[in-house]
Amino acid sequence: MNAAPMPSQPTAAVLPKRVAVLGFARSGQALADALLARGVSVSVGDSRTEDAFADADVKSLRAGGARFFFGGPEPGGFLEGADWLAISPGVPLTVPAVRAARAAGIAVLAELEIAWRLLEAEVEGPGGNRWIAITGTNGKSTTTTWIADILHRAGRPAALAGNIGAPLSVFLDENSPRDFVCEVSSFQAETLDRFRPDVAVLTNVTPDHLDRYAGMREYAAAKARLFARQRSSDVAVVNADDPESRNIARELTARRVLFSRRGRPDGGGAWLQDGELCSDLSGKARRVLPAARLSLPGAHNVENALAALAAAACLGVAEEPIVASLTGFSGLRHRTELVAEANGVRWVDDSKGTNVDATAKSLEGFAPGSVLLILGGRDKHGDFAALAPLVARNARAILTVGEAAPLIERALAGRAAIIRCETMDRAVAAAAELARRGDTVLLSPACASFDQYRNYEERGDHFAALARKAAGISGERHGA
């Protein structure tokens, strides 16, 4: 697993002698491996016990000199001698090791931040890397992947990294320049320090993760950190239709490029007008393509397409690969993904809709009275009542699952028939009984998955398997 040491003067200037890595998931493993290869002493901590990890991964890093602290590391031994504490995206800043590090003056940095510093120090070749970073509450995964797809079609060496794709540290053994397209969560942004993207995108900021943040101001501030180091020569692509995003945009140093579904924004950018995507970023205003030709349906995907179009144009990509991607990109799993269709009933997996705003944007894309909506999971302090108008218009029934079911039922009482199902198996069985030709059974939970599943992917896969069975379809999931 360990790469051969890569001593270099730039790297020596970047790295300290010892780094503590908190979180031994993919990003923590990749970073620990890269640091050991560069002669840094590493201690690794995780809240889980050692038997939760592949034996080969632990043995390989131990052979390289890493010390391990499993089962919730005590700060003393774990942080001993450390100059930096590197944390994985899911690690809260309130855990004892992080609080102890800050109290001791140890820098707390995201894996993304450290890998970026190394890649900037070690890259060889003309031009260097270009950095494209995308954040936001909803749409960031689709937008990130869409931008990477555009760059690939344009013939650019592009890497999908960060909160989606591979951890950035995976690319540290490759030293040729490329375009890094990074999804950045609010959790990652909290511990960015010097990271400076050439193009940064803000899709929107709507209520989410309020079980972790004190309120919207704190949550929005975490998102805004992605733009903090940008200069006037850099670009910030911002959703002009979203109030919180506009507030952040007012404070930016970077050149602001706006996108909007409501017409041409002040100063231009990318926008929707008379059903067509338009842009003036490569010169005079022009119509790029009709929204009906986009490969992904729904109003939310018009926003994602406009953001991707704006970012790609700012990167100098020609119109031909942009249009080819906007009309040919197949989308993401678990994001309004058609997983089964039979007898006039469609089964759609939107398990990635983990907050109220994401579910609202998904729900608005369906015909009135046609949706059997599966809601629930672990509450993230969302305002379920905000779904009421869309539920009343588009949903024929709500099937609730998980811990948040009572909250959802109180918030949406009287808006549609509500059936408490508790589990996904029961929800799909009930939907199969209720569904009639023209209906869509939509899993868009507006909640986290952790009460019954490891992650939203597992939840979506379970729904898809049950949906295929209910539809009488055998084999793998299909459609996108």
Side-chain angles (χ1 to χ4, degrees):
M1 186 175 176
N2 287 336
M6 300 171 56
S8 70
Q9 190 59 39
T11 304
V14 166
L15 289 172
K17 293 181 179 179
R18 182 179 293 279
V19 175
V21 177
L22 185 57
F24 194 50
R26 288 189 309 158
S27 60
Q29 291 180 25
L31 179 61
D33 190 55
L35 293 172
L36 289 170
R38 288 157 177 78
V40 177
S41 296
V42 173
S43 57
V44 177
D46 198 282
S47 60
R48 291 164 289 181
T49 56
E50 184 170 343
D51 58 12
F53 302 97
D55 193 46
D57 292 338
V58 177
K59 281 185 176 178
S60 175
L61 290 176
R62 272 206 177 109
R67 298 182 301 153
F68 281 89
F69 299 82
F70 288 113
E74 291 294 330
F78 171 58
L79 294 175
E80 184 180 359
D83 302 287
W84 292 352
L85 172 62
I87 64 171
S88 297
V91 176
L93 300 185
T94 54
V95 300
V98 174
R99 292 202 304 265
R102 287 184 160 169
I106 298 170
V108 179
L109 301 173
E111 176 267 341
L112 179 73
E113 169 78 25
I114 296 171
W116 173 80
R117 293 187 190 186
L118 290 171
L119 283 160
E120 288 296 274
E122 295 176 357
V123 70
E124 297 175 358
N129 299 316
R130 292 197 300 182
W131 295 92
I132 305 95
I134 299 88
T135 196
T137 305
N138 299 308
K140 60 182 178 294
S141 295
T142 298
T143 303
T144 301
T145 313
W146 219 333
I147 293 170
D149 185 74
I150 292 171
L151 291 170
H152 281 301
R153 291 173 191 259
R156 285 288 309 178
L160 190 65
N163 201 47
I164 190 173
L168 194 56
S169 297
V170 165
F171 299 96
L172 286 168
D173 291 341
E174 305 173 26
N175 60 359
S176 57
R178 65 180 68 205
D179 290 344
F180 285 99
V181 188
C182 302
E183 178 186 317
V184 182
S185 70
S186 59
F187 298 170
Q188 288 169 306
E190 287 172 345
T191 46
L192 295 178
D193 181 41
R194 301 177 189 170
F195 179 76
R196 183 173 71 87
D198 300 285
V199 175
V201 179
L202 182 59
T203 60
N204 47 65
V205 184
T206 61
D208 197 12
H209 299 300
L210 298 183
D211 52 343
R212 172 157 170 161
Y213 295 100
M216 277 297 293
R217 180 176 294 183
E218 185 176 296
Y219 174 54
K223 294 290 187 189
R225 286 183 61 85
L226 179 65
F227 304 84
R229 290 282 177 172
Q230 284 193 295
R231 302 170 185 166
S232 58
S233 56
D234 301 321
V235 176
V237 176
V238 179
N239 188 344
D241 301 335
D242 178 64
E244 289 287 353
S245 298
R246 290 198 305 270
N247 288 339
I248 290 172
R250 293 188 185 101
E251 306 299 323
L252 300 182
T253 301
R255 177 168 72 96
R256 285 168 288 188
V257 170
L258 303 179
F259 65 93
S260 172
R261 275 200 294 142
R262 301 173 182 169
R264 188 174 186 174
D266 292 342
W271 65 93
L272 184 68
Q273 181 176 324
D274 300 326
E276 295 197 76
L277 274 68
C278 304
S279 170
D280 60 5
L281 294 168
S282 298
K284 65 179 183 179
R286 71 193 192 286
R287 297 177 185 271
V288 178
L289 81 162
R293 289 186 58 202
L294 290 174
S295 58
L296 303 182
H300 60 295
N301 280 317
V302 173
E303 291 186 359
N304 297 335
L306 288 167
L309 163 62
C314 291
L315 290 163
V317 178
E319 187 170 306
E320 183 178 356
I322 293 176
V323 172
S325 180
L326 294 182
T327 57
F329 175 58
S330 59
L332 299 174
R333 289 184 64 194
H334 311 296
R335 196 68 179 105
T336 54
E337 178 188 7
L338 178 66
V339 294
E341 186 170 8
N343 303 318
V345 177
R346 293 161 55 89
W347 299 76
V348 175
D349 170 12
D350 190 44
S351 184
K352 205 172 188 303
T354 60
N355 59 68
V356 167
D357 187 66
T359 296
K361 288 186 175 179
S362 179
L363 189 57
E364 72 176 326
F366 295 94
S370 68
V371 177
L372 304 175
L373 177 62
I374 301 176
L375 285 175
R378 177 156 293 170
D379 178 32
K380 298 162 75 178
H381 296 186
D383 179 14
F384 299 113
L387 292 171
L390 279 168
V391 165
R393 188 185 76 187
N394 289 4
R396 190 157 65 80
I398 297 169
L399 305 109
T400 61
V401 297
E403 294 175 353
L407 296 172
I408 293 167
E409 292 161 9
R410 285 197 295 271
L412 299 177
R415 301 293 180 156
I418 299 176
I419 303 169
R420 184 178 297 190
C421 299
E422 296 183 348
T423 67
M424 191 68 69
D425 299 74
R426 293 176 185 171
V428 168
E433 288 285 331
L434 290 169
R436 60 197 185 199
R437 184 171 295 275
D439 281 348
T440 297
V441 181
L442 173 64
L443 169 66
S444 190
C447 292
S449 59
F450 305 124
D451 57 338
Q452 297 181 345
Y453 299 94
R454 288 178 297 180
N455 47 47
Y456 74 81
E457 294 97 335
E458 184 179 73
R459 175 172 62 188
D461 287 340
H462 187 207
F463 168 78
L466 294 169
R468 289 196 303 273
K469 185 176 179 181
I473 298 170
S474 60
E476 298 300 314
R477 51 198 293 156
H478 73 283

